[in-house]
Amino acid sequence: MAPIEQSFPRPCVEDVEARSFQIVQTSLGQRQLSSKRIAIAVGSRGIENIDKIVRAAVAALKQCGAEAFLVPAMGSHGGGQAEAQKKILLEYKLTPDNVGAEILSSMETVQLGETPSGLPVYMDRNAYESDGVILINRVKPHTDFTGVVESGLMKMTAIGLGKIDGASAFHSRTSEFESDQMIRDIAQTALQNGKILGGLAIIENAYHETAHLEWTAPDAMDANEQQWLKRAKEWMPSLPVAQADCLIVDRIGKNISGVGLDPNITGRRYKINRRWNTTPDITRIILLGLTEETNGNAVGCGLADFCSQRLLDAMNKNVTYVNAVTSRNVICADIPPHWDTDEETLQWAFKSVGNPDLSQLRVLRIRDTLSLTHIEASEALLDEFKQSPQVAQIGGLREMTFDSTGALAPLA
């Protein structure tokens, strides 16, 4: 395997905290917020600089005379448990001491009404009983559908703030309606009651850095997010090849992607009871571990062909299965063939490709689907990579090494 450095467009916000404060203070400074209690909705994804962005929003609200508190807006994540959802925010350094606001976590909701198609619309009770809500979320391509809006502020409004009630209602109708249209319908219904004051959208670059920050008012949220999604797709990273025999993924997790590993990167798609490959076309995907931040949620393991025992040892079945059943994508919680060590797992995965000459195997290795600037590739791919404009540097070849327990040595 050889270390590969990839190069992508790299727009970047220089002072994230100062810029976030300025945006929120300017956007809400004209409102009469003195002595008001404002809820800040925050999700479960691993967003870079999220503690700085939330801290700035809290400070800006205090500047406006308001008192802020945080609300986990993450649907059924954390096993659908209030304390587990609070714990996720604490692990992102969103502690009262760090950001200046407490977390009020509850799975109770209030039904706001119904969409024209009859879908019930819910909102977290703490958020509903506040004097106003602001949303903070990353806008990016979704993992299991495409549309004019995908993952972002609209989805947080429709599903995240709806807690497990909202997530269950949404996913129960995905066989009947297009996901993006449902998100827009539910979000528009939620926005009509005037509780949501606006949202701060975050776009990241391929280096997992904050590339863009922008505020939207509720009535412009739909149109703005459609434009932001196009920009996010232009800036996202990719693998430098259209076909490979094996993709080794060191870790998956809910903080990486809603389904553990991003299908926009792996090309491995899924829908209810089936999965298939798009581009890139990867014959075998091998998963080796979970992130700590995923708290045992191993959703995504069912999108792989092989996994290691250490991934399963870190898996929390209840958390994983609640998430999978709520989303109705139970295939994502399937457990693939696995062996006691990484070494055995990889040996069997390579054998399953059907090419007895290992030197000809087209193998890629990544840390996770958010980290694609530094990857590894087998010798069989190097000539092709020399022609790729996104491959900036190719290092020297070295053999895979394993420690005494059979675990693959960390990616350099």
Side-chain angles (χ1 to χ4, degrees), residues 8-9 141 204-206 231-238 262 264-265:
F8 302 101
E204 293 184 347
N205 60 29
R231 195 178 307 177
K233 289 183 176 181
E234 292 173 357
W235 291 345
M236 72 182 299
S238 62
D262 190 345
N264 295 294
I265 302 300

Side-chain angles (χ1 to χ4, degrees), residues 25-46:
Q25 199 276 334
T26 301
S27 302
L28 297 178
Q30 302 304 312
R31 288 181 172 267
Q32 300 300 317
L33 297 182
S34 181
S35 301
K36 302 292 186 182
R37 294 180 67 255
I38 306 300
I40 301 177
V42 187
S44 58
R45 299 290 179 264

Side-chain angles (χ1 to χ4, degrees), residues 28 31-40 58 60-69 129-133 195 197:
L28 297 178
R31 288 181 172 267
Q32 300 300 317
L33 297 182
S34 181
S35 301
K36 302 292 186 182
R37 294 180 67 255
I38 306 300
I40 301 177
V58 171
L61 286 168
K62 288 181 178 179
Q63 181 89 359
C64 298
E67 176 190 354
F69 65 92
E129 293 177 350
S130 73
D131 296 309
V133 180
K195 184 66 66 174
L197 307 179

